Amino acid sequence: MELTGAQILMTILKEEGVDTIFGFPGGAVIDLYDELIRSDLRHILVRHEQGAVHAADGYARASGKVGVCLVTSGPGATNTVTGIATAYMDSIPLVIITGQVPTQLIGNDAFQEVDIVGITRPCTKHNYLVNHVEDLARILKEAFHIARSGRPGPVLVDIPKNIGVAKTDYQPITEVNIKSYNPTYHPNTKQLKKALNLLKAAQRPLIFSGGGVILSKASDELADLAHRLKIPVTSSLMGLGAFPGSDPLWLGMLGMHGTYRANMAVSQCDLMVAVGVRFDDRVTGKTDCFASGAKIIHIDIDPTSIRKNIPVTVPVVGDCRSSLTELNRMIVEEGIQADETTRRGWLDQIVFWRDEHKLAYEQKETIKPQFVIEKLYELTRGQAIVTTEVGQNQMWAAQFYHFDRPQQFITSGGLGTMGFGLPAAIGAQVAFPEKMVVDIAGDGSIQMNIQEMATAVQYNLPVKVVILNNRCLGMVRQWQELFYDKRYAHTILEHAPDFVKLAEAFGARGLRASHPDEVEATLAEGLETKGPVIMEFIVASEECVYPMVPAGKAITDMLLV
């Protein structure tokens, strides 16, 4: 069957189960769009290409599917780079289709030509420039396979304009084989036996879960291990929701803004079972002091993540779900149980730490941002899909909204991308149109991609945006307050739009609360309103996120309220 390159693209997208594409058209992809409009694929027209990648990212994180975006060449392609790097840092499966100038013009500085393959090489799992239409089907199939397999990540496919219109004989590809790419899914049994021996001997074990648990759909297996051996669980920012936030064994997040009990437990445990984590610097603080008295079992599908930042005792290369399933089976088979006496002492110590320094704030005359998050949690009964921007709003959401299930908390962890939350919320809402999706934002970060409110209104996507307006770039201001003698170098936003009028200008609903007594009613009205809503809360401008571990310090060196 003879098809054009554009027809092959649409055919492969449908074969891969794609139902929605986020994109922005242009000259280099006009033929792809001409074929797209004749297909039954849904296209969400964003207002900026960065929004397209973040929306595809939010869609992927919420649904577990591969997110897809389509943009044109030159600036269209370069505008996606921040979104691609965001997905790369957090291991999110995306396929990014970029247009390119015709192959005969590549290297000629043609109009809207840019080497997007070269630019994105460090921030994609893999990328391709399609030189021949005969290669297009294979490349697209490989792109989806690479994006979703092993440690997931973004894959970019650059399609020159002439490839889109060129014709070739199309034969369906049923199997993808890449000789140099074979992720290890099944763990080595000998390594699991070593892990089992450490679990038998441990008196103060701790589980540290990360985003890998969510990506591999291993939450049930993680909970099984924790409950079976009565092991307390902490997680990275990316791992929130991998273990229920309302479970008695839950410690809260660890690290720079982790809970007191989680950071103390890490410092005092004698065994850490780290699953699907990469020990980034926000988690470890001073690495020499991180879990310094513990043996560490590290389970991860990416062998390059193991021993990269922290030495471990037993490395286990494998898919988190497969590894935990096998480990749980061995625990049952050998009849291993926690020693009640020693475990009770360990859990009682954690309760003591919890009661000694709880997450706390004092709500007085000015709205505290933590109060808004707590009320949001109550009113949504903890069931909303929550996206965030980056900064204080992100940390307060992580601390005060308790996530009981995976794929419920969507945030830019590794890259820390301001402007992520709103387009990611749009993507999550597209994936789950019947669920409540809330973007928790700051007044600084929301302005980075506020144009996507038009996208939400156009497609009647009822995302709710909660803006914690402190009239500054809060997290940087906090660092300046604590470590730079309050020299607020260009972090005070002396002018901002009227967010209520801005919402109305986009065709959305705008609400504002300026006093604590107005918070609950404003949230209730906003959440009950059909369609997209911006809710602005005028919060205390100098509120800080606590606990806080100063950069380079051990995570037990916490600044507390």
Side-chain angles (χ1 to χ4, degrees), residues 148-152 181-188 192 210-219 221-222 274-277 297-303 306 315-328:
R148 65 163 68 98
S149 61
R151 179 178 178 173
Y181 176 71
N182 292 295
T184 301
Y185 283 88
H186 300 294
N188 184 300
L192 287 182
V213 175
I214 295 173
L215 290 166
S216 68
K217 298 180 173 56
S219 296
E221 289 74 15
L222 183 85
V275 189
V277 302
I297 300 166
H298 189 182
I299 300 172
D300 202 281
I301 197 166
D302 180 3
I306 297 177
V316 179
V317 179
D319 171 65
C320 293
R321 188 177 184 186
S322 298
S323 301
L324 290 174
T325 298
E326 184 61 13
L327 191 60
N328 286 329

Side-chain angles (χ1 to χ4, degrees), residues 209 235-240 253-254 283 394-395 398 409 411-414:
S209 67
S235 90
S236 65
L237 182 72
M238 295 305 301
L240 291 176
M253 185 174 68
L254 81 165
V283 159
Q394 180 187 35
M395 292 300 117
F409 182 55
T411 194
S412 171

Side-chain angles (χ1 to χ4, degrees), residues 190-265:
K190 290 182 179 178
Q191 293 303 99
L192 287 182
K193 286 181 179 175
K194 292 178 184 176
L196 199 64
N197 289 332
L198 293 182
L199 280 166
K200 286 179 188 175
Q203 296 190 344
R204 300 185 305 281
L206 176 77
I207 293 174
F208 169 28
S209 67
V213 175
I214 295 173
L215 290 166
S216 68
K217 298 180 173 56
S219 296
D220 289 345
E221 289 74 15
L222 183 85
D224 191 13
L225 174 64
H227 291 147
R228 194 175 296 281
L229 298 184
K230 296 181 176 57
I231 304 176
V233 181
T234 184
S235 90
S236 65
L237 182 72
M238 295 305 301
L240 291 176
F243 188 77
S246 57
D247 193 286
L249 290 171
W250 174 241
L251 300 178
M253 185 174 68
L254 81 165
M256 180 172 280
H257 295 294
T259 64
Y260 180 78
R261 65 183 187 277
N263 286 351
M264 293 304 293

